[in-house]
Amino acid sequence: MRQTLMAFAALTTVLASCAPTSYSGYAKSGVTRETAALDDTACSVEANKLFPAATFTTTVYSGYHGGYGGYAGGYWGGYPGYWGGSHVQVRDANASMRAEHRADCMTLKGYAAVNHPICTDDQISGRKYAPIAGAPKPAPNICALRAKGGGVALIDLNKPL
């Protein structure tokens, strides 16, 4: 039982370390979030037209895994060797060019790339917040909160409801 609990704690720690710690977006003073989202979508569509997905797949074989012990039909302990499985890796050759074009497009529209930290449970501590209107620049009191139904909402920790 103790080993199970330790394994669960280790798995939880590993999964938590995979969670993002910040939300990347774009900021421009005087712009609503809706306008920022429309501009971002327009830049993404343009990037997708200029640099369409160019995916390449590669099958990676795991190879032969040799057995050990004196295996003879299962009588002497040990186990037989076996051929491992395989998996397919997919790579999009144009992904970095699309991302770069989108960033350049947003910069030309007057936006600045920003990173907002993800709100921690301690920061929220049971209080409710209204989403911020607009596309704010980073500040110590602004963080990103996962919205119900998906997406992200930026909140001002200095303004609870």
Side-chain angles (χ1 to χ4, degrees):
M1 181 70 172
R2 180 179 167 96
Q3 289 177 335
T4 303
L5 288 173
M6 290 179 67
F8 181 73
L11 178 63
T12 303
T13 302
V14 167
L15 290 177
S17 67
C18 294
T21 58
S22 66
Y23 166 73
S24 299
Y26 291 93
K28 181 178 177 182
S29 61
V31 173
T32 65
R33 293 207 49 175
E34 291 77 18
T35 301
L38 288 172
D39 287 343
D40 189 25
T41 299
C43 288
S44 293
V45 167
E46 183 177 292
N48 286 333
K49 285 181 182 177
L50 292 171
F51 305 102
T55 55
F56 298 93
T57 59
T58 305
T59 303
V60 179
Y61 297 99
S62 296
Y64 182 77
H65 301 278
Y68 74 90
Y71 184 81
Y75 293 113
W76 297 341
Y79 72 95
Y82 63 94
W83 286 96
S86 63
H87 64 279
V88 176
Q89 294 177 337
V90 179
R91 183 178 67 88
D92 182 354
N94 288 343
S96 62
M97 289 184 285
R98 276 194 309 275
E100 186 176 336
H101 182 81
R102 176 178 165 254
D104 290 344
C105 177
M106 290 298 283
T107 301
L108 287 172
K109 290 179 183 267
Y111 290 88
V114 296
N115 285 319
H116 297 285
I118 301 291
C119 303
T120 64
D121 290 337
D122 290 338
Q123 290 173 317
I124 303 299
S125 66
R127 292 185 295 264
K128 294 187 180 207
Y129 297 89
I132 296 173
K137 293 187 178 182
N141 56 313
I142 295 180
C143 62
L145 183 66
R146 297 188 197 294
K148 290 182 182 177
V152 173
L154 297 176
I155 62 169
D156 186 343
L157 295 171
N158 293 338
K159 299 179 181 176
L161 295 177

